[in-house]
Amino acid sequence: MNRKTALIAIAGTFAALGILAALVGPSCGNVKSVERIARATDLYSKGDIDDAFNAVESEFASGFKGCTLDELRYDDEVESKFLDEMLAHEQKGKGDLIVVLSEFTTDWRAADEGFSPNDRYEDWQWILTRPSQDAPWKVVDWGY
């Protein structure tokens, strides 16, 4: 095999690997361009809310293959509608509970996660708890 043929074979191999990597893509959720929408409330400071957002992004990034997280929102008026959820997690008087809403899009790989491919999910809820203000937020549930 001459040098030119060897270089073409090597270039072809790298091109094939590049195409394969592009098709497979990352095996976790994409959180690179998340828009965060929140303001401090009587219940939670901006720092508390940012910590909750960080926990959601971490959970999303560790799974949610084929999904891109577009937006995270906290609104205390929306949260007040989730009193039943708070009672279900027995958090009343035992710590904090926060509800974060999100929007994300999916690609063809999201079918492996149980989502509709090439779709947009809006008002997806994330339920987070913490036993005290000093403790980190923990995602305990998500969905509609």
Side-chain angles (χ1 to χ4, degrees):
M1 176 184 312
N2 65 28
R3 184 177 179 158
K4 185 177 180 180
T5 305
L7 288 174
I8 291 172
I10 291 171
T13 301
F14 281 118
L17 288 174
I19 291 169
L20 181 62
L23 288 175
V24 173
S27 62
C28 55
N30 180 348
V31 295
K32 293 179 182 172
S33 301
V34 181
E35 180 181 4
R36 293 177 166 206
I37 302 170
R39 60 178 174 74
T41 66
D42 292 339
L43 194 54
Y44 297 118
S45 71
K46 183 75 166 95
D48 289 330
I49 297 166
D50 283 340
D51 290 344
F53 285 176
N54 290 340
V56 169
E57 286 184 18
S58 179
E59 187 73 32
F60 193 92
S62 68
F64 289 79
K65 181 175 99 178
C67 301
T68 298
L69 186 59
D70 300 313
E71 179 182 287
L72 291 173
R73 281 188 324 281
Y74 174 75
D75 182 340
D76 59 337
E77 290 178 20
V78 170
E79 183 167 277
S80 68
K81 297 177 184 177
F82 292 95
L83 180 60
D84 289 339
E85 190 72 32
M86 182 168 65
L87 295 173
H89 287 287
E90 299 177 3
Q91 287 298 303
K92 193 162 183 94
K94 294 184 181 180
D96 295 330
L97 179 138
I98 192 169
V99 178
V100 174
L101 298 178
S102 67
E103 294 185 10
F104 62 94
T105 54
T106 62
D107 66 22
W108 61 273
R109 294 171 295 149
D112 293 343
E113 298 291 319
F115 296 110
S116 297
N118 304 312
D119 205 354
R120 180 170 188 80
Y121 288 77
E122 297 177 354
D123 294 330
W124 186 267
Q125 302 162 11
W126 299 86
I127 311 299
L128 298 92
T129 61
R130 64 181 182 185
S132 69
Q133 286 186 335
D134 297 335
W137 289 107
K138 179 182 176 190
V139 176
V140 294
D141 202 5
W142 62 77
Y144 280 123

